[in-house]
Amino acid sequence: MNIEQTKKLREYLHSFITSQRAERIRTVLQHRTRHITFALENIYQGHNASAVLRSCEINGIQDVHIIENSNTFKPTNDIALGSSKWLTLHRHSKEKENTLSCINHLKSRGYTIVSTTPHKNDVTLEQLPLEKPVALLFGTELSGLSDTAIQHSDQYVQIPMYGFTESYNISVSAAICAYSLMQRLRKSDIPWTLSENEIIELETEWYRRSIKSSKLLEEKFWKEEAREK
């Protein structure tokens, strides 16, 4: 479906939702970004997975990449509170080495790969360059990121800790990163917002998700379009 077809479908679906809902969707989309994305490697605890998705959605990070090697990603709905409904989730589970496949995919799209782990060349969240799009990698609850993830990263970021505990819980770490980096982006001159075409595409998808019978309505729309041709 090209962008002109998407626009037509969006206008058609628009008539089936309230003006308040449409306005809310448009407002939220103005604060969404793909300049920052998160990639979660082998996360297996549902409550942690769900909390990460919730933090991304609340802070305006649209894309989350799910790397499934030995663990399956299973969010818990009562913690995610429906946040996955408004995110674009990319699952990487079909290759022999899904971590490397995800990293290569992100690099091909211009992302700087950033491991969230202490490293001799690490920087703080305040020091991390944001001029180019960045993809933050988060590892498993017990063992952290894999060697593959660390070796193929371009940069490393760490959150300072001042107590006896060795690390933050992954969901807390992700929340801190999402909030801190998005605050920096919003205060910067970096062009971080979605393009108009990206907004139109997501707007159409969110209309679908806001209408109970959207599948039937869409089938009707395409039939009418075909008859007109």
Side-chain angles (χ1 to χ4, degrees):
M1 185 164 58
N2 61 41
I3 193 63
E4 293 306 317
Q5 291 172 318
T6 303
K7 286 180 180 179
K8 287 183 179 180
L9 177 59
R10 178 194 59 168
E11 293 308 310
Y12 175 76
L13 294 176
H14 183 275
S15 61
F16 295 94
I17 63 174
T18 65
S19 57
Q20 291 86 353
R21 185 64 165 177
E23 183 178 349
R24 176 62 175 160
I25 286 173
R26 191 73 179 184
T27 299
V28 169
L29 283 169
Q30 302 298 326
H31 295 279
R32 279 292 202 262
T33 192
R34 285 191 160 123
H35 194 84
I36 293 173
T37 188
F38 281 11
L40 312 180
E41 183 188 45
N42 241 13
I43 307 302
Y44 63 89
Q45 293 185 349
H47 62 280
N48 279 336
S50 303
V52 173
L53 296 185
R54 188 173 172 182
S55 293
C56 287
E57 202 284 320
I58 286 173
N59 284 286
I61 296 171
Q62 181 59 34
D63 294 322
V64 179
H65 292 260
I66 312 300
I67 302 169
E68 296 177 316
N69 289 324
S70 57
N71 298 322
T72 301
F73 185 83
K74 294 180 179 178
T76 305
N77 289 333
D78 59 345
I79 296 177
L81 295 180
S83 56
S84 60
K85 180 178 180 179
W86 311 110
L87 296 173
T88 304
L89 302 183
H90 307 265
R91 289 183 179 269
H92 302 266
S93 59
K94 298 180 180 179
E95 303 295 330
K96 184 177 180 181
E97 180 46 79
N98 294 303
T99 296
L100 187 56
S101 174
C102 176
I103 288 174
N104 288 338
H105 170 82
L106 290 166
K107 284 190 175 184
S108 72
R109 282 156 178 75
Y111 284 93
T112 297
I113 307 301
V114 182
S115 281
T116 55
T117 184
H119 190 276
K120 62 182 180 181
N121 297 319
D122 60 26
V123 297
T124 65
L125 290 168
E126 292 74 24
Q127 296 168 332
L128 181 66
L130 294 181
E131 287 73 24
K132 289 178 59 180
V134 296
L136 270 71
L137 272 57
F138 296 86
T140 60
E141 293 84 347
L142 292 177
S143 56
L145 286 166
S146 67
D147 289 341
T148 298
I150 294 172
Q151 289 168 7
H152 289 84
S153 291
D154 304 304
Q155 287 207 264
Y156 308 89
V157 71
Q158 57 105 350
I159 304 171
M161 292 168 286
Y162 305 99
F164 291 107
T165 309
E166 291 186 2
S167 64
Y168 289 98
N169 175 284
I170 181 179
S171 60
V172 175
S173 178
I176 293 171
C177 290
Y179 178 79
S180 176
L181 295 180
M182 286 305 300
Q183 286 293 101
R184 284 184 57 201
L185 265 192
R186 295 182 198 284
K187 294 175 182 177
S188 74
D189 295 325
I190 297 168
W192 58 270
T193 55
L194 300 175
S195 68
E196 184 59 26
N197 283 353
E198 287 176 315
I199 288 176
I200 290 169
E201 289 169 354
L202 281 171
E203 199 168 34
T204 305
E205 181 58 33
W206 290 4
Y207 282 4
R208 286 190 183 109
R209 297 178 185 183
S210 299
I211 302 168
K212 290 183 179 179
S213 55
S214 63
K215 187 175 181 180
L216 292 175
L217 290 171
E218 192 167 345
E219 288 174 357
K220 180 182 177 182
F221 169 77
W222 291 122
K223 285 179 182 178
E224 291 175 354
E225 281 288 297
R227 278 200 297 268
E228 289 180 6
K229 292 180 179 178

